[in-house]
Amino acid sequence: MLRSLVGSEMCIRDRWWDSRLTVPLSPMRGCNIQEVRGADLREYKITSTQSLGTRADAAVLLLTCLLVLGKLLCGLDSTSSNVCLALATVYLVKWAMKCSSFVREESVVVIQDFGIQKKVTFASGRKEYKFLAKPSIQECIVNEAIVGFSVVFYVAFMVADQADMELAFEHFTPPLKELLPIFHGIRSVLFSEEPPMDRERRDTQSLEAVNKCMRQSTSGRALSTLCRQPNVEP
């Protein structure tokens, strides 16, 4: 099942996303959060908007190019230039390794009949998939953890035969107000629970309908009473 889901992502989209609705959630610093709704399916995607390089990286790259051109065209072969070129090369290699492991996008696809598919997209184009079958998912929770001197919140799944919880997003830590809609959306598809916002909206609409009926009923009784009163002649 994992191989068929991962290898047929477009088939999943064509089958369940006929009536999809893209809803941008509140922006997070350095990231964009997006929700895609479909029939019995939800996808939550976090995309990083941070730049891979800084001005210092560009300056080191320019310096390396100038040193290489100097050695090739002008025969520059001094000790200082060689040391600078070696240091710049080491810096660029470390920067390239950092860029290759930089996570550009992370998504969670919740399919009601199958389970959850996680996808991590790196800046290098490499993608990693992980599938959690629905029968193995025991619970979905929001938890908090202390990282350094700050408290972060995360959505996690309790999976059968797995000691550690499975994080929904392993590389991004959205604030709690951004996690709650994701949490309720996942539970609404996975466990067929009605999100609190939808329930509040439904209750509000029902209350408005009852008030409207009461106003119409009161107006009707008042009009009927007025029509039954005898005419009083002066």
Side-chain angles (χ1 to χ4, degrees):
M1 179 62 66
L2 173 59
R3 184 178 298 276
S4 62
L5 286 175
V6 171
S8 309
E9 184 180 2
M10 293 308 298
C11 296
I12 296 176
R13 292 174 179 266
D14 294 340
R15 182 176 177 183
W16 277 281
W17 292 20
D18 294 336
S19 58
R20 64 182 181 178
L21 174 64
T22 302
V23 181
L25 301 179
S26 300
M28 185 177 64
R29 182 179 180 182
C31 299
N32 289 329
I33 307 178
Q34 193 177 48
E35 177 188 29
V36 180
R37 300 181 182 181
D40 301 331
L41 182 144
R42 294 282 179 92
E43 180 185 20
Y44 295 96
K45 184 187 303 181
I46 301 181
T47 305
S48 176
T49 57
Q50 296 180 356
S51 177
L52 289 177
T54 62
R55 294 182 178 180
D57 300 330
V60 173
L61 180 60
L62 178 60
L63 176 62
T64 305
C65 294
L66 293 177
L67 290 175
V68 172
L69 291 176
K71 291 180 69 67
L72 294 178
L73 300 180
C74 304
L76 185 62
D77 195 19
S78 62
T79 303
S80 58
S81 63
N82 292 335
V83 172
C84 290
L85 182 59
L87 293 177
T89 303
V90 172
Y91 181 90
L92 291 178
V93 169
K94 293 182 64 177
W95 175 71
M97 294 175 61
K98 178 183 176 181
C99 292
S100 64
S101 61
F102 181 80
V103 176
R104 177 61 70 185
E105 183 180 279
E106 193 171 8
S107 66
V108 173
V109 180
V110 188
I111 309 172
Q112 189 175 54
D113 297 332
F114 294 99
I116 294 174
Q117 178 178 279
K118 298 171 54 180
K119 182 177 71 172
V120 180
T121 304
F122 295 88
S124 60
R126 180 170 58 93
K127 297 181 180 180
E128 293 182 355
Y129 294 89
K130 187 171 186 179
F131 180 74
L132 303 176
K134 184 176 180 179
S136 66
I137 302 175
Q138 299 176 342
E139 188 58 86
C140 175
I141 63 173
V142 173
N143 206 353
E144 63 179 5
I146 299 177
V147 179
F149 297 97
S150 60
V151 178
V152 298
F153 298 88
Y154 58 90
V155 175
F157 305 102
M158 300 178 66
V159 184
D161 300 329
Q162 185 172 317
D164 298 330
M165 293 186 294
E166 186 72 29
L167 299 182
F169 301 101
E170 300 182 5
H171 303 277
F172 297 97
T173 55
L176 181 60
K177 65 177 182 180
E178 311 299 341
L179 278 180
L180 288 179
I182 298 176
F183 168 72
H184 293 306
I186 291 175
R187 294 192 64 90
S188 66
V189 175
L190 204 59
F191 303 111
S192 301
E193 292 184 358
E194 186 178 13
M197 294 182 62
D198 294 346
R199 184 166 59 250
E200 293 177 1
R201 189 182 301 109
R202 177 174 53 81
D203 294 342
T204 302
Q205 293 176 352
S206 300
L207 182 60
E208 292 177 352
V210 170
N211 292 334
K212 183 178 180 181
C213 292
M214 292 180 63
R215 288 195 299 268
Q216 292 178 351
S217 177
T218 303
S219 300
R221 287 198 301 268
L223 181 60
S224 177
T225 303
L226 182 62
C227 292
R228 287 198 301 267
Q229 289 181 355
N231 296 329
V232 179
E233 296 181 358

